[in-house]
Amino acid sequence: MVAPATLSLRPCATLAPSRAALHRAHAHAGFAPASRPALSVSCPPTRFESLRRAATAVSDRQGSAEPSEKQEEKSRTYYFLVANAKFMLDDEEHFQEQLQEKLRLYEERSKEQDFWLVIEPKFLDRFPNVAKRLKRPAVALVSTDRNWIRFMKLRLDRVLAEQFDAETPEEALASNPAELKFDKPDKWTAPYPKYESGWWEAFLPPKSSNGTA
Amino acid sequence: MSALSSSCSALLCCIYSAPSPFPRTLRSHSALSVTHRMASAMELSLLNPAMHHHGIAAKTASHLPVLPARRGAVRFRVRAAAAAPPAPAAKPGSPKKRGKTEVNESLLTPRFYTTDFDEMEQLFNAEINKQLNQDEFDALLQEFKTDYNQTHFIRNPEFKEAADKMQGPLRQIFVEFLERSCTAEFSGFLLYKELGRRLKKTNPVVAEIFSLMSRDEARHAGFLNKGLSDFNLALDLGFLTKARKYTFFKPKFIFYATYLSEKIGYWRYITIFRHLKANPEYQVYPIFKYFENWCQDENRHGDFFSALLKAQPQFLNDWKAKLWSRFFCLSVYITMYLNDCQRSAFYEGIGLNTKEFDMHVIYETNRTTARIFPAVPDVENPEFKRKLDRMVDINLKIISIGESNDMPLVKNLKRVPLIAQLVSEIIAAYLMPPIESGSVDFAEFEPKLVY
């Protein structure tokens, strides 16, 4: 994937003012193109651009290393929470509100999205011990923001948390095809209707990296 | 058991400030200046142990401080003007006896809390307490700093128009609703602000989170108070700070009570919001349109208390913790149910069935709470609702005695058996088989759990 050099002049997208954000802000102007041709074509560059840029600058906050020019092409860390699709997309309605709130905030502040829902993520292959404990289909909440994922773990509780490194967002967010259908709840006590099925589509990664959208 | 029942009623009255669903905005308007006065007053009263009181004291009347709104010319006291009987027909205490400036603080009135700040300091001292999961607090701090609702609480002309249109009993109910909600939010502000101040040295991260939460609560309270100004009224929060009694809770009880308070607040707000979204014909006052974003604050606040509890596993992992957890859940649910059933005109006014609304809120709050409390009551057992309904009936009888023309002695004699009935219902609810629960982070069965 080749990122035009001009992209790096745009403001970086990060979450709140964290130390990581500072690093990102200092990140080098311009970076060498990463060499991952395969998936790049259909991925709208706008959605990942600063992520790429940030990837070169920010590594795990725990990690000591200040990013240096030479590390630019390094992969970056993705943090995720995963559980079965019913829990993530159907039962926990506050979860949708939260994601929408975050998306609204990012739009208001012109931040680039750094969180996604991934249905039946391919990266689960790397975590057999996680995968075997999941009902399927599974859905993961993935973000490059470690703190936020930790917060979401606190909120959702009934999820498994892990992290991995990936060279590109496409690789990180790839998913397998899966069909999602949820039965209507037996007992609906609320004086309002359920959120419409399919609300999650706004949070799926750009199409090429997602098998189901 | 008798100790339990007496503390039960004490707690019932203490807890109420939780379920009020209204939080957030200060910035503009008189509220700001009020806040300053209030902050100093707060220090006096929060720190003065003489202010502590337990349950029964709640029955004493106090003066509720209400200023005429700056712009409004009408010289009303909020309570006198609007709130005397919450719902025209039903309210504890006799409206007739109330002077223009006097308010009954009943068992169910929203409450101000204070706590043992020295113990709090010890609990959050990382040197002493090795269990503190600083990572979790760092994550929370980032979430609170993000300040999702920084620009959310901006009013528009719809408010005044809607308020002017509202007349008669509905208007009274609304004013009381705003006032109670404002008081509840404001009590959160006071407590969090003081905790933010006191914990600064021992645990700056936790302290900052408390301060940011007090920011939210101040916004919420201010926004509600501005709502009152549409009705030509305003709560004098400074006076309130000084005049209100403070209910003392040990830190662990503060954690349980405020956790529940925030989470139930979230469920109340979001339920009202989603109901009105689906049924816009009941959208009689624009404040409800703000609830969706607003209540996300409440939910986050609850998450913070969840983290605080996790940092103190001794509050979660033994049989005493289970008893207290059930007790607090029950207190909060019952208080809300009794309160709301006295004010069903409000909920019906916005198209809700009061009991169905409350039961939904209770189910959801209980499910949420089961993610952290080690035990919760089995509220989905149909017997639970039957018990609540019996409590409502008894409570209404108690209220109607208060409103009768009998001599005080006679009233008291008539009340005694009813109160005994109420207490026995509460105890019976407490003794219903509970549900074991808790965070998966603590669960022994966790390795076997399928997600």
Side-chain angles (χ1 to χ4, degrees):
Chain A
M1 156 81 55
V2 177
T6 51
L7 288 182
S8 57
L9 298 175
R10 297 208 201 153
C12 289
T14 68
L15 201 63
S18 61
R19 263 171 278 169
L22 285 179
H23 291 170
R24 263 169 267 195
H26 289 259
H28 47 69
F31 50 90
S35 49
R36 300 284 302 190
L39 292 162
S40 61
V41 182
S42 50
C43 168
T46 48
R47 294 193 63 178
F48 288 136
E49 70 195 33
S50 69
L51 186 58
R52 272 169 216 297
R53 197 171 50 251
T56 64
V58 178
S59 49
D60 190 342
R61 236 178 96 190
Q62 289 172 313
S64 47
E66 286 287 320
S68 77
E69 294 291 318
K70 285 182 186 166
Q71 290 174 307
E72 277 176 12
E73 286 179 51
K74 260 201 165 173
S75 65
R76 71 168 312 175
T77 308
Y78 293 79
Y79 304 88
F80 71 90
L81 304 174
V82 66
N84 65 83
K86 172 123 180 67
F87 176 84
M88 297 289 273
L89 305 181
D90 197 44
D91 293 346
E92 302 290 301
E93 293 205 299
H94 59 96
F95 180 47
Q96 174 195 346
E97 292 158 20
Q98 243 182 326
L99 292 186
Q100 251 147 18
E101 178 190 48
K102 195 171 173 70
L103 200 59
R104 163 187 63 83
L105 186 91
Y106 276 36
E107 277 163 18
E108 281 173 13
R109 300 186 185 171
S110 307
K111 287 188 174 183
E112 197 167 333
Q113 197 174 331
D114 62 0
F115 61 100
W116 302 270
L117 288 171
V118 183
I119 297 164
E120 276 295 310
K122 287 193 171 152
F123 61 71
L124 281 179
D125 297 346
R126 305 195 204 180
F127 300 97
N129 288 333
V130 170
K132 73 180 182 200
R133 299 180 62 189
L134 292 171
K135 279 180 251 167
R136 309 307 274 260
V139 169
L141 174 67
V142 186
S143 174
T144 51
D145 182 343
R146 178 166 170 264
N147 266 336
W148 186 66
I149 289 292
R150 185 171 287 134
F151 167 73
M152 290 305 297
K153 167 73 177 110
L154 178 67
R155 164 67 64 86
L156 294 169
D157 195 66
R158 268 79 168 139
V159 290
L160 293 163
E162 265 297 352
Q163 66 187 66
F164 63 93
D165 292 333
E167 303 267 331
T168 67
E170 292 80 9
E171 180 196 337
L173 305 173
S175 77
N176 293 313
E179 198 186 343
L180 298 180
K181 267 198 179 160
F182 305 115
D183 295 334
K184 287 200 170 160
D186 307 334
K187 201 174 94 184
W188 185 249
T189 59
Y192 48 76
K194 221 171 151 46
Y195 289 129
E196 300 239 344
S197 190
W199 62 265
W200 50 83
E201 278 162 24
F203 304 97
L204 300 178
K207 280 204 175 122
S208 66
S209 56
N210 185 300
T212 56
Chain B
M1 208 57 288
S2 70
L4 177 73
S5 62
S6 71
S7 63
C8 201
S9 66
L11 272 166
L12 262 186
C13 49
C14 298
I15 286 170
Y16 180 62
S17 104
S20 144
F22 288 75
R24 168 175 227 52
T25 267
L26 191 27
R27 299 279 139 97
S28 37
H29 189 89
S30 55
L32 244 198
S33 63
V34 165
T35 319
H36 283 290
R37 277 188 286 148
M38 168 212 70
S40 51
M42 170 189 69
E43 284 171 24
L44 282 178
S45 45
L46 276 184
L47 303 178
N48 177 358
M51 299 291 291
H52 301 170
H53 80 127
H54 300 270
I56 307 307
K59 286 181 183 165
T60 57
S62 79
H63 293 268
L64 235 207
V66 181
L67 292 177
R70 296 206 168 160
R71 289 173 217 137
V74 192
R75 278 200 138 252
F76 281 127
R77 304 267 168 167
V78 162
R79 281 294 190 170
K91 156 101 189 188
S94 156
K96 288 176 218 157
K97 292 200 170 166
R98 252 172 250 157
K100 283 260 166 191
T101 61
E102 196 172 277
V103 192
N104 255 358
E105 252 183 78
S106 77
L107 278 183
L108 304 179
T109 316
R111 216 133 285 287
F112 285 11
Y113 300 121
T114 184
T115 190
D116 182 339
F117 292 102
D118 293 333
E119 190 188 335
M120 281 280 187
E121 281 184 88
Q122 292 209 329
L123 289 175
F124 293 105
N125 188 329
E127 302 288 304
I128 302 173
N129 181 356
K130 305 287 182 202
Q131 305 269 10
L132 282 182
N133 181 352
Q134 199 60 40
D135 277 353
E136 220 164 44
F137 290 118
D138 286 342
L140 277 158
L141 180 57
Q142 172 180 308
E143 195 66 4
F144 281 106
K145 276 185 177 169
T146 302
D147 199 1
Y148 288 89
N149 285 328
Q150 197 172 33
T151 57
H152 178 59
F153 292 92
I154 295 170
R155 282 158 51 88
N156 60 41
E158 280 179 44
F159 282 80
K160 184 71 184 154
E161 288 162 22
D164 289 343
K165 262 189 228 156
M166 240 183 270
Q167 293 304 333
L170 189 64
R171 188 177 172 92
Q172 293 185 346
I173 298 166
F174 254 81
V175 169
E176 197 214 12
F177 164 76
L178 290 173
E179 186 211 326
R180 287 176 71 94
S181 305
C182 182
T183 309
E185 296 283 0
F186 186 68
S187 80
F189 164 79
L190 288 178
L191 179 68
Y192 298 161
K193 181 92 186 157
E194 182 63 9
L195 281 163
R197 201 179 68 81
R198 291 292 296 260
L199 296 174
K200 217 176 253 172
K201 277 193 191 131
T202 31
N203 194 326
V205 173
V206 168
E208 192 174 357
I209 296 173
F210 270 119
S211 301
L212 292 171
M213 294 202 316
S214 76
R215 164 202 71 194
D216 294 341
E217 302 288 11
R219 273 187 198 148
H220 299 167
F223 199 65
L224 287 158
N225 212 7
K226 289 188 101 184
L228 280 168
S229 74
D230 298 327
F231 296 85
N232 300 325
L233 298 162
L235 272 179
D236 182 349
L237 298 175
F239 186 83
L240 202 59
T241 308
K242 279 180 269 185
R244 260 301 174 84
K245 296 201 176 58
Y246 286 79
T247 301
F248 177 79
F249 270 173
K250 283 179 74 63
K252 90 164 162 179
F253 300 139
I254 288 276
F255 295 161
Y256 296 135
T258 42
Y259 172 85
L260 281 165
S261 165
E262 299 285 0
K263 289 293 183 184
I264 208 168
Y266 162 76
W267 281 110
R268 287 171 64 83
Y269 282 160
I270 197 67
T271 303
I272 292 174
F273 175 85
R274 292 179 66 181
H275 155 72
L276 289 176
K277 199 170 182 201
N279 305 284
E281 67 275 21
Y282 293 107
Q283 185 71 263
V284 288
Y285 188 61
I287 205 161
F288 302 121
K289 294 181 191 163
Y290 291 72
F291 277 16
E292 188 181 31
N293 292 355
W294 180 327
C295 68
Q296 306 304 325
D297 287 342
E298 313 294 352
N299 213 347
R300 272 186 287 271
H301 294 180
D303 295 333
F304 172 60
F305 285 103
S306 186
L308 290 185
L309 281 165
K310 281 184 178 177
Q312 311 293 339
Q314 72 275 19
F315 298 160
L316 293 175
N317 61 11
D318 62 5
W319 61 273
K320 278 186 287 182
K322 287 183 181 177
L323 293 181
W324 281 118
S325 295
R326 288 158 57 195
F327 176 71
F328 273 86
C329 286
L330 211 56
S331 307
V332 170
Y333 304 155
I334 294 173
T335 313
M336 177 180 79
Y337 204 76
L338 297 184
N339 250 316
D340 288 352
C341 286
Q342 284 172 47
R343 295 170 177 76
S344 55
F346 173 78
Y347 299 95
E348 281 154 24
I350 56 172
L352 284 164
N353 173 313
T354 310
K355 288 185 173 180
E356 283 174 14
F357 166 73
D358 271 27
M359 285 317 293
H360 172 68
V361 169
I362 290 172
Y363 295 146
E364 293 293 355
T365 306
N366 209 52
R367 268 176 225 160
T368 306
T369 306
R371 305 265 165 93
I372 181 73
F373 282 23
V376 293
D378 183 9
V379 298
E380 296 185 41
N381 179 341
E383 179 54 27
F384 183 76
K385 181 172 187 305
R386 286 196 285 271
K387 286 189 164 41
L388 286 181
D389 286 334
R390 285 198 292 270
M391 291 178 211
V392 170
D393 294 340
I394 299 167
N395 191 41
L396 289 177
K397 283 183 201 158
I398 296 174
I399 290 165
S400 65
I401 290 173
E403 286 168 349
S404 70
N405 293 323
D406 292 332
M407 291 165 56
L409 178 66
V410 177
K411 283 185 183 180
N412 283 337
L413 287 174
K414 282 184 175 173
R415 278 192 194 113
V416 169
L418 290 169
I419 288 171
Q421 275 179 38
L422 187 60
V423 169
S424 77
E425 285 292 348
I426 293 171
I427 292 171
Y430 185 75
L431 294 177
M432 284 173 66
I435 297 171
E436 302 274 310
S437 58
S439 163
V440 292
D441 292 359
F442 292 111
E444 284 156 17
F445 52 84
E446 199 278 337
K448 281 180 255 159
L449 208 62
V450 175
Y451 288 82

